[in-house]
Amino acid sequence: MAYLAIQVLAALALLAAAADAARILAVMPMPARSHHIAFGGVTKALADRGHDVTLISGLPKGNKINPANNKVIYLPNPFEDMANDVLKDFWEQKQKPYEQLQFLMNWGEKLTNTTLSSPIFLAEINKPGQKYDLILAELFFFQEAMVGLGHKFNCPVVAVNPFGTSSMVNDAMGNPVNPAWVPSPFLGFSDRMSFTERAMNSLLHVSMHAYYNYFYMPKMQALSDIHFPGAPPVQDMLRSYLGLTLVNNHFSLAYPAPMSPNVVEIGGIHIPDKPKALPKDLQDFMDSAKDGVVYFSMGSNLKVEFMPESAKQAILGALFALKERVLLKWDGPLPKNMPANVKHIEWAPQGDLLAHPNMRVFFTHGGLLSTQESVYYGVPLVGMPMFGDQQFNMLLAANKGFCVKLEIRELTRQKVDEALREVLQKPKYKEAATRLSRLFRAKPLTPAQSAVFAVETVLEHGADHLRPASVGMPLYQLLLLDVVLAAAVPFLLLFLCCRALCCGSKKAAQEDRSAAARKKRN
């Protein structure tokens, strides 16, 4: 305990010490609010420390997410024309896990190429005498070619991952992963897998590794050749320029797994130390809710207007029948004849609402930021995951005891009723959420302090001391195939010698018997 206290005090002293301001280019072209919320937590913390941060943003001007202390340069959204079709597919659950991965890879390739080709972006990075000391980017959300910016400016690159670790992060950073007990977030398995689940997890792990390295990374290499001519191969640049990956997770909201020192958890970086005051109408609504409040929201990306009609009827019917007050974040056409205890909102200060003591249940899609906020404030969940890591998040939440998980493909009014009654009426869900909240908050440094400390360490000392030797190691060495072969050779030689001796003895005995038989006949 004393050693931990010394470590914390040393880290805080370093954080408090005056540091040379670095010029940081933060590239975040993804037009998804949830990605910007976590990424913006990092850039805001660095700017608060006095660093000069230029943020390349894929959000529209006037948004309330990009930090005010960043210099923000806005890029147009290259996916605006296809967004609605994609969101409809998510609601209709048309995509299988591997199809979701392929979609995200195609999305990332287009996003990377569009960004690196953008006249707005090129004007910024090609200014005469332009220099940056560090690059921040969402490299492992299928934007790996962005590492070429590290080569262009001869500076380290820090990746920010919008969720926890992934097979791409693990390979690049040297995290040891065993698919026998580290589940893929795309399959929704726990770390206690059956034989069939382990087989499926292993198959996805191997196939994802092969697809990523032999099909997808050549596409990133082609983009690098176009936009960074003369640069080393992308895989080599990842090994030489990538110093650190900040992952938006915390081990209390994941299954325990080993982590290299060049991977730092910053889960909850978007959650302020103290909640802000609610707008008066919401404050009055929450304060006067003697039976508590159930909050319904499907996040910032999913549009409720595209929800299948049968699911709408099941959810609204169950919510409207509650005696508790209901806060309904609904962006589609408003349902008719809403009960007096239901309040409709199009936007919600979600974290501040969840912090209110009268919040009873959060009905959510299971996005990682929503899950982190609910855990931070100890609010149990009814989860209806839709895509990506949401299945994984809600299965983990159910396994940890603070969530009842629903499937939209099997949704009925009865199942929604039962899920809400279960969480509202049984104290065990609230108790589990409260217990997990204490774990989630028990950190030696805040997520912002951890991010700043890790980034400034790379700025000052580089990252060679953080990088495991397994990074870049040939697969046959990593799997000890050469050692296994070397160990097997003596046994193989012994086996061959024994076989030769046995065969020789059998042949001699057979020849003796044949000779004796001939002699007897003669």
Side-chain angles (χ1 to χ4, degrees):
M1 194 69 186
Y3 176 68
L4 177 61
I6 292 171
Q7 282 187 310
V8 173
L9 288 172
L12 289 173
L14 283 171
L15 285 171
D20 293 334
R23 298 199 72 236
I24 298 173
L25 177 64
V27 186
M28 185 54 181
M30 176 67 73
R33 292 166 58 91
S34 57
H35 287 239
H36 279 266
I37 289 171
F39 195 90
V42 177
T43 60
K44 179 183 183 301
L46 290 168
D48 285 343
R49 275 281 289 166
H51 298 293
D52 181 4
V53 180
T54 298
L55 173 63
I56 308 296
S57 173
L59 292 182
K61 290 183 180 180
N63 72 81
K64 298 179 181 179
I65 295 175
N66 293 146
N69 59 1
N70 292 177
K71 173 192 172 185
V72 184
I73 297 173
Y74 295 97
L75 298 182
N77 179 2
F79 304 111
E80 203 159 3
D81 57 340
M82 60 183 284
N84 286 348
D85 291 336
V86 172
L87 292 171
K88 286 178 183 177
D89 285 348
F90 286 150
W91 278 118
E92 294 170 9
Q93 299 282 285
K94 288 182 177 179
Q95 292 185 330
K96 296 180 174 61
Y98 70 89
E99 291 173 327
Q100 289 185 25
L101 281 171
Q102 192 170 38
F103 164 77
L104 291 173
M105 286 180 174
N106 293 336
W107 181 301
E109 181 188 1
K110 181 178 179 181
L111 183 67
T112 303
N113 187 43
T114 303
T115 302
L116 295 176
S117 304
S118 167
I120 299 171
F121 181 71
L122 292 173
E124 173 63 24
I125 66 172
N126 291 329
K127 287 178 180 177
Q130 184 67 284
K131 183 182 185 316
Y132 285 105
D133 303 304
L134 185 94
I135 306 296
L136 276 177
E138 257 195 348
L139 289 185
F140 297 114
F141 207 77
F142 308 108
Q143 301 166 49
E144 290 83 354
M146 296 285 189
V147 74
L149 292 166
H151 174 75
K152 176 178 175 63
F153 293 107
N154 191 29
C155 68
V157 178
V158 172
V160 181
N161 217 38
F163 40 85
T165 57
S166 64
S167 59
M168 293 81 76
V169 172
N170 292 327
D171 286 348
M173 309 311 291
N175 268 351
V177 173
N178 188 330
W181 55 278
V182 179
S184 166
F186 288 95
L187 290 177
F189 297 155
S190 75
D191 58 346
R192 302 292 195 271
M193 291 176 274
S194 66
F195 172 80
T196 304
E197 289 173 339
R198 281 186 287 115
M200 291 174 63
N201 194 54
S202 300
L203 179 62
L204 181 63
H205 178 82
V206 173
S207 58
M208 176 68 183
H209 181 89
Y211 187 88
Y212 178 77
N213 285 288
Y214 300 112
F215 179 77
Y216 175 74
M217 284 306 287
K219 295 183 178 182
M220 286 291 108
Q221 184 59 55
L223 291 181
S224 178
D225 293 340
I226 294 170
H227 298 291
F228 304 106
V234 172
Q235 295 280 24
D236 290 348
M237 287 194 286
L238 287 172
R239 286 189 280 269
S240 55
Y241 291 103
L242 178 60
L244 179 73
T245 295
L246 304 174
V247 295
N248 181 32
N249 210 349
H250 183 260
F251 62 83
S252 65
L253 280 177
Y255 299 110
M259 197 167 291
S260 302
N262 54 359
V263 179
V264 175
E265 293 184 325
I266 58 167
I269 192 168
H270 68 291
I271 303 174
D273 294 335
K274 292 182 179 180
K276 298 176 182 176
L278 292 169
K280 187 176 187 310
D281 62 327
L282 288 177
Q283 188 71 52
D284 292 343
F285 182 83
M286 299 295 296
D287 288 345
S288 58
K290 62 182 178 63
D291 293 314
V293 176
V294 174
Y295 170 49
F296 174 89
S297 172
M298 287 286 108
S300 58
N301 293 322
L302 287 167
K303 294 185 178 180
V304 178
E305 63 180 298
F306 299 137
M307 184 190 294
E309 191 61 31
S310 60
K312 284 183 188 177
Q313 295 303 320
I315 291 170
L316 292 176
L319 291 174
F320 289 178
L322 293 172
K323 66 174 182 177
E324 291 81 8
R325 288 194 170 181
V326 175
L327 198 56
L328 190 67
K329 183 177 175 291
W330 198 267
D331 50 31
L334 279 176
K336 296 178 181 179
N337 304 319
M338 286 199 304
N341 65 323
V342 177
K343 181 177 178 62
H344 163 258
I345 51 174
E346 291 185 359
W347 175 85
Q350 183 166 283
D352 304 325
L353 284 170
L354 293 172
H356 196 283
N358 286 343
M359 183 63 71
R360 297 281 307 281
V361 175
F362 181 15
F363 195 137
T364 176
H365 65 311
L368 184 57
L369 299 184
S370 294
T371 306
Q372 290 175 352
E373 289 167 356
S374 68
V375 166
Y376 188 85
Y377 293 114
V379 178
L381 304 177
V382 170
M384 189 176 71
M386 301 302 301
F387 64 93
D389 65 336
Q390 294 165 14
Q391 281 282 355
F392 177 85
N393 297 338
M394 292 299 91
L395 179 66
L396 186 142
N399 287 342
K400 289 185 177 287
F402 70 100
C403 173
V404 171
K405 179 171 169 283
L406 296 170
E407 295 290 347
I408 190 169
R409 287 170 295 185
E410 305 167 358
L411 204 66
T412 64
R413 165 68 187 275
Q414 181 181 351
K415 288 183 177 179
V416 181
D417 280 334
E418 290 172 351
L420 288 167
R421 280 200 304 270
E422 175 79 8
V423 181
L424 283 166
Q425 295 176 6
K426 294 188 178 179
K428 65 178 184 179
Y429 293 95
K430 176 63 176 178
E431 291 167 1
T434 303
R435 182 170 60 251
L436 199 58
S437 176
R438 290 195 294 268
L439 287 174
F440 189 75
R441 291 170 179 249
K443 304 168 185 175
L445 299 175
T446 67
Q449 288 171 340
S450 296
V452 169
F453 179 68
V455 169
E456 290 186 346
T457 296
V458 170
L459 280 167
E460 184 175 356
H461 303 291
D464 288 344
H465 64 294
L466 302 174
R467 191 177 294 116
S470 58
V471 176
M473 185 178 287
L475 187 61
Y476 74 89
Q477 291 184 10
L478 197 61
L479 298 179
L480 291 175
L481 297 181
D482 51 345
V483 175
V484 171
L485 181 61
V489 165
F491 294 99
L492 181 62
L493 291 175
L494 180 61
F495 170 76
L496 293 175
C497 289
C498 291
R499 186 180 179 197
L501 288 172
C502 290
C503 290
S505 300
K506 288 181 180 179
K507 186 176 181 181
Q510 188 176 10
E511 288 175 352
D512 289 345
R513 286 195 296 272
S514 299
R518 286 195 301 272
K519 185 175 180 182
K520 187 175 181 180
R521 285 197 299 270
N522 294 334

